[in-house]
Amino acid sequence: MKGTSIKKVLILVTILAVPGFLYYLLQEKGKNRYRPLPIFGYKEVASTFHSVRGKQIPDTIYHIVSDFKLINQNGDSVSWSKYGSNIVILNLFYTKGDANGGGVATKAMKGFNETYQHNKAINFVGISIDPKTDKPEVLADYAKILSAKAGKWDLLTGDSVQLSGLIRNGLSLDAHQEKIGTENKFIHSNMLVLIDSHRRIRGYYEATSKEALLKLDDEIKVLMAEELRNSRDGR
């Protein structure tokens, strides 16, 4: 009789302990289940710290895409503050080169915009490399072809000096003019760029590669999960 009672107590302790142990594993071990996305650009260790689950972690200073003041297809002024804590997917384009939305990067962006059109945590940004031609009224017509709704998918233009600095120094992308035959044509990167809520670059994806675009789709979800974890941890 006494042995039966001891067995019952052991079974009860096990039933109560297992959920707690599993919770511990999920909290302490599960957080490393996914490898975080890389952060591109320069980085240096700061002299300050932040706390994660009670542990002091040294801060790291990462390259951040500089702020800007550009104009979208509606003629509205746009800067990083417009996107708040959202994730941004960005590409380069120009309307003459992407006639009728045929540019490879723009077509890829159109597909992602359709996939994530109802996700309020994601914004899309197209940066024109031909501000002389791509005035807001031109972008407005182009946006209709793409079904690009301002505020969700902004097509931006503005001062050429600012655009050049943003593209080369902020995004580390290439865009330049070359004379091909008798015409001056723009040559630009077909990369899509994934940018987190802190305006750090988390990935580059070649729009001509199906594998790269599938990877971007996966890494958008990984970054969303990371942003959620960081928000809960107070980072």
Side-chain angles (χ1 to χ4, degrees), residues 90-235:
L90 181 149
N91 79 301
L92 305 181
F93 78 99
Y94 68 112
T95 55
K96 284 186 176 179
D98 286 6
N100 298 315
V104 62
T106 300
K107 286 176 71 174
M109 287 282 279
K110 190 174 190 297
F112 280 106
N113 177 62
E114 290 170 355
T115 300
Y116 291 98
Q117 61 182 313
H118 300 302
N119 192 318
K120 295 181 180 179
I122 297 175
N123 284 92
F124 298 91
V125 171
I127 302 288
S128 172
I129 60 171
D130 184 13
K132 186 176 180 180
T133 299
D134 292 338
K135 304 299 183 184
E137 57 271 20
V138 174
L139 295 182
D141 291 336
Y142 191 56
K144 291 176 183 176
I145 294 171
L146 299 175
S147 299
K149 185 179 178 181
K152 180 62 176 181
W153 183 4
D154 287 313
L155 307 178
L156 302 180
T157 188
D159 176 72
S160 59
V161 175
Q162 183 183 180
L163 285 169
S164 178
L166 173 62
I167 292 167
R168 294 179 183 176
N169 303 325
L171 299 166
S172 297
L173 295 177
D174 181 47
H176 61 277
Q177 275 187 306
E178 283 186 13
K179 191 163 187 177
I180 301 176
T182 59
E183 294 184 77
N184 285 321
K185 292 192 175 181
F186 286 94
I187 308 298
H188 66 86
S189 169
N190 279 322
M191 292 288 182
L192 302 189
V193 186
L194 180 62
I195 301 172
D196 68 19
S197 63
H198 298 288
R199 307 310 162 217
R200 301 173 302 188
I201 297 172
R202 306 305 296 273
Y204 291 95
Y205 311 86
E206 175 56 59
T208 59
S209 167
K210 183 179 179 180
E211 290 77 13
L213 296 180
L214 289 172
K215 182 181 179 184
L216 172 55
D217 193 36
D218 288 339
E219 295 193 343
I220 288 172
K221 297 176 178 67
V222 172
L223 184 54
M224 288 176 65
E226 179 186 313
E227 295 278 1
L228 183 59
R229 288 196 302 272
N230 288 345
S231 177
R232 286 202 300 254
D233 290 341
R235 282 193 272 177

Side-chain angles (χ1 to χ4, degrees), residues 8-75:
K8 287 181 178 179
V9 170
L10 288 174
I11 292 170
L12 180 60
V13 169
T14 301
I15 291 171
L16 293 173
V18 168
F21 180 66
L22 291 175
Y23 176 79
Y24 169 81
L25 286 178
L26 288 172
Q27 291 295 307
E28 296 302 317
K29 306 298 182 183
K31 65 183 179 182
N32 293 320
R33 189 177 301 167
Y34 300 106
R35 185 173 62 182
L37 300 182
I39 299 174
F40 290 79
Y42 69 81
K43 55 182 70 71
E44 61 179 280
V45 178
S47 58
T48 56
F49 295 82
H50 63 274
S51 178
V52 178
R53 301 182 189 277
K55 295 180 181 179
Q56 290 290 95
I57 310 295
D59 292 322
T60 302
I61 300 172
Y62 294 100
H63 170 69
I64 294 175
V65 182
S66 55
D67 201 3
F68 53 81
K69 189 175 182 180
L70 299 171
I71 305 298
N72 71 5
Q73 64 264 45
N74 279 8

